[in-house]
Amino acid sequence: MTFYRLILMLLLPFLLMGAGWRRLRGRAVGGEIAERLALRSGSRDRPLWLHGASNGEITSARWLVEEILARDPSLRILISCNNPTARQMVRGWGIPRTEAVLAPWDTLGATRRFLARWQPRALLVLENELWPERIASCAANGIPVLAIGARLSEGSARNWRRVAPALLRRTLARIDWLSAQDEESERRFVAAGLPRERLGPRLVLKAGVRPAAVAPPFPAPPRA
């Protein structure tokens, strides 16, 4: 984890330069750097944090967002994504009790500030968005991590084995519940370090199905 944090620290100036360059070219959106570094304040009503990479992943989970909100009228959902287009798309949905933001960069500082500002009750990640710092910080703060429609291709598994097998093993060991897309991904996750007892039923989000059997075990809201 130390090496991963060092790499992210070294990458941070380039991420900032990229955001600055987009701003100079008129392609940046308001508050991009502040959101990426988690410098903006957030609500402390303990939302469920759902993260997806971009438009496709998040669109595929819209039904899940609506179903979760219907089950708990007091719950709010914070939806984070990796690009401004997806953020704008979610805001355009106009779904009550949701808020869309850009995901914090996976640095220790940005992740800690994000968790302190939003205080999510759980993190729900879509498909292959398994960011080590994000998951480690959630685990350290007692925030459950659930993965929905997760996939791990043979190529990705091979790259992890070559570059950072221990980092992947520790990351998977911190996931509380995982629903894989297919049997092969399931097998690779377990081989890479996911405890088998944390596997849930398989689910392909983009298939658009709503099987009640795969509803993840969300934590109960805190009692007054």
Side-chain angles (χ1 to χ4, degrees):
M1 196 68 184
T2 303
F3 183 68
Y4 177 79
R5 286 172 175 164
L6 177 62
I7 293 294
L8 264 292
M9 230 164 73
L10 294 173
L11 284 175
L12 185 56
F14 297 97
L15 294 172
L16 290 167
M17 283 191 290
W21 178 247
R22 285 191 295 277
R23 185 176 181 83
L24 285 174
R25 291 174 62 89
R27 290 160 52 189
V29 295
E32 178 178 353
I33 292 177
E35 283 193 19
R36 294 294 199 184
L37 293 174
L39 297 175
R40 287 188 161 180
S41 60
S43 66
R44 296 196 173 194
D45 52 0
R46 304 208 64 204
L48 173 68
W49 176 16
L50 181 144
H51 173 75
S54 56
N55 298 48
E57 292 83 0
I58 295 174
T59 298
S60 69
R62 179 171 177 172
W63 67 267
L64 184 60
V65 169
E66 293 172 339
E67 185 167 311
I68 293 168
L69 290 171
R71 290 186 182 191
D72 186 349
S74 67
L75 182 67
R76 297 186 64 83
I77 298 182
L78 174 69
I79 303 172
S80 69
C81 44
N82 294 342
N83 63 70
T85 307
R87 182 184 68 171
Q88 193 56 36
M89 178 192 72
V90 175
R91 290 178 177 176
W93 289 349
I95 300 176
R97 294 184 283 131
T98 62
E99 185 162 354
V101 297
L102 292 174
W105 284 320
D106 206 41
T107 62
L108 181 60
T111 303
R112 283 182 174 175
R113 284 190 295 272
F114 188 91
L115 295 181
R117 281 163 168 72
W118 290 99
Q119 298 184 6
R121 70 179 64 179
L123 167 60
L124 178 59
V125 295
L126 306 177
E127 297 196 4
N128 60 347
E129 288 293 286
L130 302 178
W131 293 90
E133 186 64 67
R134 199 172 295 169
I135 292 173
S137 294
C138 282
N141 285 276
I143 299 168
V145 178
L146 304 94
I148 303 294
R151 59 187 171 87
L152 184 64
S153 69
E154 181 56 45
S156 294
R158 184 168 55 248
N159 290 337
W160 274 108
R161 285 195 299 269
R162 287 174 179 169
V163 179
L167 178 60
L168 179 59
R169 184 171 61 253
R170 287 194 295 270
T171 299
L172 292 174
R174 292 173 172 131
I175 293 176
D176 297 275
W177 190 89
L178 182 144
S179 169
Q181 284 192 9
D182 50 58
E183 185 179 358
E184 289 75 22
S185 288
E186 208 171 71
R187 176 178 53 78
R188 292 181 194 117
F189 279 123
V190 171
L194 179 76
R196 183 174 290 277
E197 65 273 13
R198 297 182 193 173
L199 282 173
R202 293 172 203 148
L203 172 66
V204 181
L205 278 170
K206 288 177 183 173
V209 249
R210 306 188 179 205
V214 299
F218 298 113
R223 295 185 179 276

